[in-house]
Amino acid sequence: MSKFIFITGGVVSSLGKGLASAALGALLQARGYKVRLRKLDPYLNVDPGTMSPYQHGEVYVTDDGAETDLDLGHYERFTGVPAKRSDNVTTGQLYMDVLAKERRGDYLGATIQVIPHVTDAIKAFAKSDLTDEDFVLCEIGGTVGDIESLPFLEAIRQLGNELGREKSLFVHLTLVPFIASAGELKTKPTQHSVKELQSVGIQPDILLCRSEVDIPEEQRRKIALFCNIRPDAVIAALDVNSIYNVPLSYHAEGFDNEVCRHFDLLDNFPEPNLSVWRQISKTVEKPEGDVKIAIVGKYTSLLDSYKSLAEALIHGGIANNIKVEINWLDAEIFEKEDTIHHLDGVNGILVPGGFGERGAEGKIAAVQFARERKIPYFGICFGMQMAVIEAARNLSGINGAGSTEFGNCDQPVVGLLTEWIREGITEERHDKDDLGGTMRLGAYDCDLIPNSRVRDIYGTDRISERHRHRYEVNIDYKERLEAAGLIFSGMSPDRKLPEIVEIPDHPWFVAVQFHPELKSKPFDPHPLFKHFVSAAVYQSRLV
Ligand code: GLN
């Protein structure tokens, strides 16, 4: 049976619990173990799909079509294990299931309570859909002390008891702030956070202490003494230049060693094989040059909304030994006169996914600039739809070209489809469906057309990529657009849905309906990002 590691956080939010979990997953993998990472989110939304990207950051989509927390993106990027619907749950989802059971009479008239009904549902979730994983890492969202977290803490406390110490481990991530005026690291917030955890019956086994500076021996002893743990189990989580240095830094501080010691596994695999992480770290620390990529989007004030995208560009940089500098630009700028100069000097332009009309014309202007000035262009989802509208208007002369996402439109080159086929089964959506249920979500196959740029880039005829959108490029316009030079180089296997367009007569112009950024990894950069960055490098040497 799998061993469970529960990761909680305290003191303040945003300490990077997701990254910490992901990095520990990578370190255990490096010792030859099979891992699975899960996120248990205490908020009441059923999933993050309907939450504003400004508040919650990116919605990460899995192959099986779940809209999940962005931490699952970290998990995949660090471990390569594809995340599934069964790896993320929220209070809203749990209550929905418990209440549905209650309505069906499954509880046989019992009084439904947080303990045991909700806590049982949490435990069942943590243990569900596992096969032969050595370790299951369960991250509890939020911060210890939040009202919403309580049922989750109670559930993992119970689970810890049921599994026993040899099969469970509690890691608590805290902050050890450096107070400049006193010239000292302060351990009190950590002590309070651990007290809070102890008050609900959880004694952490390992403390992971975020700190700007190294934590001296004396402070470690103090934390250990007050928090009732061994001094060796106080691990410093130091600030690092790149998130891809985190596994190496944790290892140097003895984190994975301490985890393996707890489970009495040190004799099996005494040292992890970290050569992949060393290589990545070397490239990130010492690139051979840099390129400037402009991202023309909408949520540029909260960069977490484009988390996977920013990471995928870094991976594209790693593949080319290059540092990618991202210039985040709000698309609305380009709706004003004389502003296109903001794009001067960039080596590549990327229009990412997006929703709604605001900024759309600015994105179309950015596409036109990239196309006419022969600057590498990469359109993703909304960025493909805008590229098609731009080509329809300016290459095919279809003046009224637009998207029905913005209201009625004379020339709907992008429109709502109500039916599509996945694995031979017709799926339907309706205008009046709940917001959560009207999108094409998850992995779909796409055929690449022979002799196209993308066929070359991927090196295969059929690919599978993840989707999250309601609207589609309208196949009825294919002939007119192709005659004008915009080629439909990726199509759904039934040939009804355009998935990729490209302009052959351009240094690099590729736009895709799916989200390739969701599948890129530092040790396996996505081919489209690799080639886009490489085209940007080429462009940078021309100027
Ligand atoms: N708003 C567009 C749609 O729903 C694009 C979505 C996206 O970019 N993810 O089709």
Side-chain angles (χ1 to χ4, degrees):
M1 197 205 165
S2 315
K3 298 175 173 58
F4 281 75
I5 301 178
F6 302 107
I7 297 120
T8 54
V11 184
V12 290
S13 58
S14 304
L15 284 181
K17 248 183 307 141
L19 260 178
S21 310
L24 177 58
L27 287 172
L28 291 168
Q29 269 186 336
R31 288 181 189 252
Y33 295 113
K34 184 169 175 194
V35 299
R36 187 80 179 269
L37 285 101
R38 302 196 142 155
K39 174 104 192 255
L40 283 63
D41 271 316
Y43 53 73
L44 283 169
N45 304 62
V46 173
D47 64 39
T50 50
M51 282 160 102
S52 160
Y54 289 116
Q55 278 198 19
H56 198 258
E58 156 186 281
V59 176
Y60 190 76
V61 180
T62 57
D63 276 333
D64 57 1
E67 297 181 279
T68 70
D69 188 81
L70 55 75
D71 279 332
L72 273 77
H74 290 311
Y75 304 165
E76 268 204 54
R77 282 189 286 276
F78 276 78
T79 65
V81 179
K84 297 208 249 174
R85 182 177 294 279
S86 56
D87 293 325
N88 188 201
V89 80
T90 67
T91 298
Q93 180 69 55
L94 289 159
Y95 270 80
M96 217 161 72
D97 296 348
V98 167
L99 294 177
K101 273 188 174 171
E102 187 271 340
R103 293 290 82 188
R104 274 201 312 264
D106 291 4
Y107 294 115
L108 306 174
T111 307
I112 311 305
Q113 294 178 295
V114 173
I115 306 171
H117 299 97
V118 175
T119 47
D120 278 355
I122 297 172
K123 288 192 285 181
F125 172 83
K127 292 190 286 188
S128 67
D129 192 25
L130 296 173
T131 44
D132 53 348
E133 286 82 359
D134 298 302
F135 288 99
V136 182
L137 281 67
C138 292
E139 177 192 345
I140 312 297
T143 309
V144 167
D146 296 346
I147 289 184
E148 292 90 347
S149 302
L150 276 175
F152 290 87
L153 297 178
E154 169 59 15
I156 59 170
R157 182 195 68 77
Q158 291 176 18
L159 201 49
N161 264 347
E162 288 162 25
L163 293 162
R165 277 185 62 75
E166 59 290 351
K167 292 249 178 272
S168 65
L169 170 86
F170 291 90
V171 176
H172 189 53
L173 178 66
T174 72
L175 177 69
V176 178
F178 180 75
I179 305 295
S181 57
E184 263 184 64
L185 282 171
K186 291 294 181 189
T187 65
K188 195 72 88 189
T190 296
Q191 296 176 37
H192 280 298
S193 184
V194 170
K195 269 213 183 90
E196 188 83 38
L197 208 49
Q198 288 165 338
S199 75
V200 294
I202 296 173
Q203 168 61 52
D205 300 296
I206 296 179
L207 284 180
L208 198 52
C209 303
R210 278 299 300 270
S211 171
E212 284 171 52
V213 292
D214 196 23
I215 306 176
E217 191 56 35
E218 195 194 321
Q219 307 292 81
R220 282 179 209 245
R221 287 197 177 282
K222 188 168 167 192
I223 294 173
L225 185 66
F226 282 96
C227 298
N228 190 31
I229 65 170
R230 303 164 55 252
D232 284 350
V234 179
I235 310 285
L238 302 172
D239 293 355
V240 283
N241 294 336
S242 153
I243 58 169
Y244 300 119
N245 288 336
V246 173
L248 295 177
S249 166
Y250 280 180
H251 177 66
E253 295 294 328
F255 187 22
D256 50 319
N257 221 59
E258 197 51 33
V259 170
C260 291
R261 197 205 59 82
H262 173 95
F263 290 116
D264 204 12
L265 290 169
L266 278 181
D267 294 341
N268 297 9
F269 297 98
E271 271 301 314
N273 177 356
L274 294 172
S275 50
V276 173
W277 293 104
R278 290 212 172 87
Q279 187 54 44
I280 292 168
S281 177
K282 212 166 98 191
T283 318
V284 174
E285 294 289 331
K286 287 206 170 54
E288 283 166 9
D290 53 18
V291 287
K292 221 180 267 152
I293 305 280
I295 296 186
V296 181
K298 180 163 154 186
Y299 315 110
T300 45
S301 56
L302 176 66
L303 299 186
D304 263 2
S305 341
Y306 298 114
K307 191 76 209 153
S308 295
L309 183 63
E311 294 307 322
L313 281 168
I314 293 175
H315 307 161
I318 291 175
N320 288 282
N321 265 320
I322 282 286
K323 178 176 174 7
V324 174
E325 252 180 57
I326 302 177
N327 206 349
W328 300 95
L329 296 171
D330 186 337
E332 279 182 293
I333 305 175
F334 301 113
E335 294 177 0
K336 301 190 187 100
E337 299 271 305
D338 296 329
T339 48
I340 206 77
H341 62 85
H342 285 287
L343 290 172
D344 283 347
V346 303
N347 312 121
I349 295 175
L350 192 154
V351 175
F355 291 84
E357 191 168 11
R358 191 161 63 76
E361 289 302 326
K363 293 176 189 177
I364 292 170
V367 177
Q368 184 175 5
F369 181 84
R371 182 177 59 74
E372 291 178 350
R373 300 285 187 95
K374 303 238 180 265
I375 297 169
Y377 175 75
F378 193 3
I380 293 181
C381 206
F382 200 69
M384 168 184 178
Q385 298 173 356
M386 295 308 106
V388 173
I389 293 173
E390 194 279 326
R393 289 183 191 168
N394 302 326
L395 286 177
S396 307
I398 307 172
N399 290 334
S403 165
T404 57
E405 181 171 359
F406 315 143
N408 280 344
C409 165
D410 292 344
Q411 300 282 354
V413 295
V414 177
L416 189 67
L417 256 186
T418 52
E419 237 183 60
W420 71 101
I421 295 174
R422 168 151 52 184
E423 286 164 10
I425 298 165
T426 305
E427 298 178 347
E428 282 185 40
R429 56 186 156 185
H430 306 280
D431 275 358
K432 296 197 173 50
D433 285 348
D434 283 352
L435 263 190
T438 56
M439 284 207 250
R440 179 144 82 104
L441 286 168
Y444 286 81
D445 284 345
C446 161
D447 286 349
L448 304 177
I449 306 309
N451 304 320
S452 60
R453 187 190 295 272
V454 284
R455 170 67 188 73
D456 251 20
I457 290 175
Y458 277 95
T460 177
D461 294 324
R462 179 167 281 191
I463 55 166
S464 167
E465 292 280 6
R466 295 180 196 169
H467 291 247
R468 180 173 186 257
H469 54 103
R470 291 195 179 85
Y471 297 85
E472 308 278 354
V473 170
N474 189 340
I475 187 80
D476 292 347
Y477 290 88
K478 182 172 189 271
E479 272 170 30
R480 271 185 281 173
L481 286 162
E482 291 202 325
L486 186 81
I487 303 304
F488 287 38
S489 53
M491 295 294 298
S492 60
D494 66 2
R495 298 291 184 272
K496 285 192 179 149
L497 302 175
E499 304 280 33
I500 309 177
V501 293
E502 60 182 71
I503 297 180
D505 183 22
H506 186 283
W508 207 92
F509 192 106
V510 176
V512 299
Q513 187 57 76
F514 44 80
H515 288 276
E517 72 275 24
L518 301 177
K519 287 177 67 165
S520 187
K521 322 220 161 43
F523 42 81
D524 185 14
H526 191 288
L528 287 174
F529 283 90
K530 175 175 163 188
H531 285 261
F532 174 56
V533 172
S534 154
V537 172
Y538 186 76
Q539 203 273 353
S540 75
R541 291 186 179 147
L542 293 180
V543 286

